[in-house]
Amino acid sequence: MKLKGEKQESSDCNEDSKGKMTLVLGLVALISAFGSSFQYGYNVSVINSPAPYMQDFYNRTYFNRSGVPMDSGFQTLLWSLTVSMYPLGGLFGSLMVWPLVNNCGRKGTLLINNLFSITAAILMGTSELAKTFEVIILARVIMGIYAGLASNVVPMFLGEISPKNLRGAIGVVPQLFITLGILVAQIFGLNSILGNAEGWPVLLGLTGIPSLIQLLILPFFPESPRYLLIQKGDEEQARQALQKLRGWDDVDDEIEEMRQEDQSEKEEGQFSVLSLCTFRGLRWQLISIIVMMMGQQLSGVNGVFYYADRIFQSAGVDNNNVQYVTVSIGAINVVMTLLAVFIVESLGRRILLLAGFGLCCVSCAVLTLALNLQTTVSWMSYLSIVCVIVYIIGHAIGASPIPFVMITEMFLQSSRPAAFMVGGSVHWLCNFTVGLVFLYMEAGLGPYSFLIFCAICLATIVYIFFIVPETKNKTFMEINRIMAKRNKVEIQEDKEELKGFHSVPGGQREHKDSSSVEL
């Protein structure tokens, strides 16, 4: 116990010096997020503005080939495929996370992933010259695979290289760049820039540039030290990577903490998705990420954006100016996500999750009322605008960025890739489902669709309040101990005492026996 007390005291003494944002850490975060997360956001909204011109291209190409105009039903099908192939590709990309990050590393996966983006950019950018619309649909699948990998690997990579007191702030950076990507696509998609008959192929092809930049620069930065030490067993390289990231040579405390984590996981080995789903010791972590990811995507964010244009039109905004209002909503999204970067470490994850989903819940309830009464009460259309803005603020500070941070923090190294694979798959599957179902919901229920979203937000709030712990400023092992109590399993505390010894087969065997009884 004395040893643990001394170690705690040493850790407290070094806390101020161990949590600084260094140049290398900042550059890795920016390059990873700009080169990967940015394109996720960019491709979410890039086809919205040039949609009429792209559909006209589909029509022209079909007519030139067959000599007859395209049937309206077939055109609707083609456009639906163009839109929906992106989240479907995202699901495929999420399923590739576990094998790629375990075999190629976090940085290696990001570098390989850039090939998907560059290929898709070339296909989309040259589609008009090649007079083929099929490659656009194919490129959207490829771009979706890219986004599926990027949306999971970037938060994992940044979470593993960050000191514990900056992990939340750096973990929100990918979401910040997703919102930036959406905003840039909205700006470039204005009719006066590239959202026109001549500019749309360039607009689609620009997505390859950030990937090219990342492909050239990221190789010069270090791999995740946790991956190097725990999964590759190379302590020297892990130490060097950590020294570069922290900006000083004394990284013994963090190396020791990684050894603890490695020691605690020796028996289990690498978790597959199946073993993750059946392992009692991670049951509540798994349920928590599924609930948060479902809440994130099923909370109505797509519905709010779908309704936004007509809400602003009903408030008297001219049709020609609606695109500028859409850009302003994108800007609010960026500003509020940037705010989340600065407040996540002071307020904590739980507060932002509860506040974010709470704002979304209230906004959906009031928006239902406002949309139903706007034809009879003149000022209700302005209340609808307020609801849209409040909803976007809520999603930007909590529901969008924090669940990915929580996946990084609630799982240890051996189970994290499988957890991201599950969380990412739920994220993209729900995204795809909402895209398919919402139009039918809107046709059948109208504004009352938002009551369903309100109920989902409320259910997510209740779950987070009772189950999800605060993870701010805690090591991965400390969070693991908190969740072990909820899972009603024991973590052998003596492992901390044994971490300095390289040969402790008896201790491991004893733990294995006791844990098998417990489980």
Side-chain angles (χ1 to χ4, degrees), residues 303-305 307-309 311-312 325 329 332 359 363-364 366-367 371 381-395 450:
V304 169
F305 277 107
Y307 259 94
D309 285 0
I311 287 169
F312 286 110
V325 175
I329 289 178
I332 292 170
L359 287 173
S363 299
C364 286
V366 178
L367 189 58
L371 288 172
S381 57
Y382 299 104
L383 181 61
S384 300
I385 292 175
V386 172
C387 288
V388 168
I389 292 169
V390 170
Y391 182 94
I392 287 163
I393 289 170
H395 225 273
F450 289 100

Side-chain angles (χ1 to χ4, degrees), residues 10 60 65 71 73 77 79 97 136 154 163 178 253 264 293 306 335 373 376 385 467 504 516:
S10 166
R60 267 197 338 269
R65 288 179 190 172
D71 176 70
L77 173 64
W79 189 250
V97 169
I136 296 177
V154 177
I178 289 171
D253 282 354
S264 75
M293 282 300 177
Y306 176 79
V335 170
L373 296 178
T376 53
I385 292 175
I467 302 295
V504 282
S516 64

Side-chain angles (χ1 to χ4, degrees), residues 308-326 382 385:
D309 285 0
R310 72 176 79 174
I311 287 169
F312 286 110
Q313 284 168 358
S314 67
V317 177
D318 185 69
N319 282 350
N320 295 325
N321 293 327
V322 166
Q323 59 179 336
Y324 297 104
V325 175
T326 305
Y382 299 104
I385 292 175

Side-chain angles (χ1 to χ4, degrees), residues 115-125 139-140 142-143 204-205 207:
L115 301 178
F116 288 114
S117 173
I118 293 167
T119 302
I122 292 168
L123 289 174
M124 290 190 289
R140 289 285 289 176
I142 296 170
M143 204 66 226
L204 298 183
T207 189

Side-chain angles (χ1 to χ4, degrees), residues 155-428:
M156 188 192 306
F157 180 44
L158 297 187
E160 289 181 3
I161 66 173
S162 305
K164 66 179 181 180
N165 64 313
L166 291 176
R167 201 167 54 226
I170 292 174
V172 177
V173 168
Q175 183 62 34
L176 175 63
F177 273 84
I178 289 171
T179 61
L180 267 174
I182 293 171
L183 179 60
V184 169
Q186 289 169 340
I187 293 170
F188 284 179
L190 293 172
N191 292 341
S192 55
I193 304 178
L194 291 173
N196 49 57
E198 295 79 31
W200 67 263
V202 179
L203 182 67
L204 298 183
L206 284 175
T207 189
I209 293 174
S211 285
L212 192 59
I213 292 170
Q214 187 186 76
L215 198 57
L216 294 173
I217 298 176
L218 192 60
F220 297 101
F221 290 93
E223 174 60 275
S224 162
R226 287 180 177 276
Y227 171 75
L228 292 171
L229 192 149
I230 298 174
Q231 287 179 250
K232 304 301 284 184
D234 192 336
E235 183 176 322
E236 188 52 41
Q237 276 201 15
R239 186 178 293 275
Q240 288 173 11
L242 208 50
Q243 287 168 344
K244 282 183 188 174
L245 290 164
R246 300 293 176 262
W248 52 69
D249 293 335
D250 182 16
V251 292
D252 289 344
D253 282 354
E254 284 192 81
I255 292 288
E256 285 296 296
E257 191 250 319
M258 288 181 208
R259 282 198 199 125
Q260 273 185 51
E261 188 175 331
D262 186 28
Q263 185 65 41
S264 75
E265 298 189 299
K266 283 287 189 201
E267 306 84 55
E268 290 92 1
Q270 284 297 311
F271 278 84
S272 66
V273 171
L274 182 62
S275 58
L276 175 67
C277 293
T278 55
F279 184 60
R280 179 179 170 184
L282 294 171
R283 183 176 298 167
W284 282 107
Q285 289 96 310
L286 185 66
I287 295 170
S288 296
I289 64 160
I290 289 172
V291 169
M292 286 188 285
M293 282 300 177
M294 288 181 72
Q296 180 195 67
Q297 288 302 308
L298 301 180
S299 58
V301 64
N302 293 337
V304 169
F305 277 107
Y306 176 79
Y307 259 94
D309 285 0
R310 72 176 79 174
I311 287 169
F312 286 110
Q313 284 168 358
S314 67
V317 177
D318 185 69
N319 282 350
N320 295 325
N321 293 327
V322 166
Q323 59 179 336
Y324 297 104
V325 175
T326 305
V327 169
S328 67
I329 289 178
I332 292 170
N333 205 2
V334 172
V335 170
M336 295 314 298
T337 309
L338 183 62
L339 176 65
V341 172
F342 292 104
I343 64 175
V344 67
E345 294 299 353
S346 55
L347 295 182
R349 285 63 154 155
R350 259 173 64 88
I351 295 291
L352 289 186
L353 281 169
L354 292 169
F357 279 109
L359 287 173
C360 293
C361 182
V362 173
S363 299
C364 286
V366 178
L367 189 58
T368 305
L369 179 70
L371 288 172
N372 277 297
L373 296 178
Q374 67 182 8
T375 52
T376 53
V377 182
S378 59
W379 53 270
M380 279 294 173
S381 57
Y382 299 104
L383 181 61
S384 300
I385 292 175
V386 172
C387 288
V388 168
I389 292 169
V390 170
Y391 182 94
I392 287 163
I393 289 170
H395 225 273
I397 64 168
S400 284
I402 306 301
F404 280 109
V405 176
M406 297 298 284
I407 299 179
T408 304
E409 295 186 327
M410 292 177 83
F411 292 87
L412 297 179
Q413 196 74 15
S414 62
S415 53
R416 193 174 293 126
F420 265 101
M421 190 166 159
V422 172
S425 298
V426 171
H427 169 94
W428 286 101

Side-chain angles (χ1 to χ4, degrees), residues 53-74:
Y53 307 105
M54 291 176 68
Q55 288 169 356
D56 184 53
F57 166 66
Y58 286 18
N59 268 323
R60 267 197 338 269
T61 305
Y62 185 85
F63 182 77
N64 291 337
R65 288 179 190 172
S66 63
V68 292
M70 186 183 287
D71 176 70
S72 62
F74 185 54

